């Protein structure tokens, strides 16, 4: 069905929402803003995150916000967990010879630490992390790795992921395991929407195994 899959991280392969809310509330508190509960956060949070913080904390330099966020992230009490079916889905991709790439806004160091700890890092051929605007970067990723749009899909949980997929002409697959609820995600018109990665696996199993090109798995 697909030879190449691009993966968002937060809300797609891992559950870090409690940690993200905790870190966000720390940043907001540094600038006299009220804390958000989960419903409020999910209702208003958006990517690219610099735009979100420009709205919530106008006039504060992005470098300051990122420094505060990294501090809160490193000292947070909330944990990070793999979402159900994430590891099984990555094993399914490996067995089918599907090339897998990460495309995430998460800080590169934090992403590597999390993905290594959770055992997902080795499944990626290449990682594109610390990407503020995926819509701007996805074309670079496609060109860098020689990916054809008709053979590629981007799997994500937010409107920004779907818009990035549309920018590159790849299939936009929305999963309902993360930050956007079904109504929010539908606004960005995913080509496919699934409740979780197990449902996506069952869908992909209906199609023949793609014939992969040479694969260079991340050996780090």
């Amino acid at each position: 069905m697909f030879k190449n899959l691009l993966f968002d991280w937060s809300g797609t392969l891992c559950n870090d929402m409690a940690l993200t809310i905790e870190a966000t509330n720390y940043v907001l508190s540094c600038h006299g803003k009220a804390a958000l509960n989960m419903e409020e956060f999910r209702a208003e949070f958006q990517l690219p995150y610099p735009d979100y913080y420009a709205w919530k904390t106008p006039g504060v330099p992005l470098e300051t916000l990122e420094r505060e966020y990294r501090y809160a992230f490193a000292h947070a009490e909330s944990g990070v967990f793999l979402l159900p079916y994430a590891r099984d889905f990555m094993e399914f991709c490996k067995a089918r010879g599907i090339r897998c790439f990460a495309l995430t806004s998460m800080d590169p160091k934090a992403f590597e630490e999390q993905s290594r700890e959770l055992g997902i890092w080795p499944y990626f051929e290449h990682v594109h992390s610390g990407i503020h605007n995926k819509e701007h970067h996805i074309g670079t990723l496609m060109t860098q790795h020689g990916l054809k749009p008709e053979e590629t899909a981007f799997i994500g949980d937010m409107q920004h992921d779907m818009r990035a997929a549309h920018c590159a002409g790849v299939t936009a697959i929305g999963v309902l395991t993360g930050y956007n609820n079904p109504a929010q995600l539908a606004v960005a018109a995913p080509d496919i929407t699934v409740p979780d990665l197990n449902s996506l696996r069952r869908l992909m199993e209906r199609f023949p195994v793609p014939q992969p090109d040479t694969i260079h798995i991340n050996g780090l």
Side-chain angles (χ1 to χ4, degrees), residues 89-120:
F89 188 80
M90 299 308 291
E91 279 292 326
F92 166 75
C93 292
K94 180 180 177 180
R96 284 204 157 200
I98 296 171
R99 300 173 69 188
C100 295
F101 303 85
L103 176 56
T104 174
S105 60
M106 181 174 285
D107 174 79
K109 181 180 178 181
F111 174 79
E112 182 172 348
E113 289 176 352
Q114 282 188 10
S115 58
R116 283 186 182 278
E117 182 177 345
L118 296 174
I120 298 298

Side-chain angles (χ1 to χ4, degrees), residues 2-175:
F2 301 110
K3 288 187 176 182
N4 320 297
L5 289 176
L6 317 181
F7 290 86
D8 171 54
W9 178 244
S10 301
T12 299
L13 290 169
C14 87
N15 181 352
D16 64 355
M17 187 176 295
L19 175 57
T20 300
I21 294 173
E22 185 176 342
T24 298
N25 280 335
Y26 174 81
V27 173
L28 294 177
S29 72
C30 289
H31 303 283
K33 305 298 182 180
L36 303 171
N37 61 35
M38 183 172 290
E39 284 189 11
E40 292 168 334
F41 177 81
R42 291 189 73 185
E44 70 176 37
F45 183 68
Q46 59 182 315
L47 294 175
Y49 72 81
D51 295 344
Y52 174 73
Y53 281 110
W55 168 58
K56 294 291 290 186
T57 55
V60 181
L62 182 61
E63 294 80 5
T64 299
L65 298 169
E66 290 182 326
R67 183 174 62 252
E68 293 166 348
Y69 188 91
R70 285 194 295 268
Y71 173 85
F73 201 88
H75 294 84
E77 296 181 359
S78 304
V80 177
F81 313 93
L82 277 185
L83 282 163
Y85 314 116
R87 190 184 307 279
D88 288 345
F89 188 80
M90 299 308 291
E91 279 292 326
F92 166 75
C93 292
K94 180 180 177 180
R96 284 204 157 200
I98 296 171
R99 300 173 69 188
C100 295
F101 303 85
L103 176 56
T104 174
S105 60
M106 181 174 285
D107 174 79
K109 181 180 178 181
F111 174 79
E112 182 172 348
E113 289 176 352
Q114 282 188 10
S115 58
R116 283 186 182 278
E117 182 177 345
L118 296 174
I120 298 298
W121 176 269
Y123 292 101
F124 295 121
E125 178 178 330
H126 196 92
V127 168
H128 293 253
S129 54
I131 306 302
H132 287 174
N133 193 316
K134 299 175 190 178
E135 295 177 57
H136 294 167
H137 186 79
I138 192 169
T140 300
L141 184 158
M142 298 286 290
T143 300
Q144 179 178 336
H145 302 291
L147 308 184
K148 298 177 181 178
E150 65 272 16
E151 299 175 345
T152 306
F154 184 20
I155 306 172
D157 66 304
M158 295 192 71
Q159 293 176 2
H160 183 58
D161 301 322
M162 302 301 100
R163 292 194 297 265
H166 294 321
C167 283
V170 307
T171 300
I173 301 178
V175 289

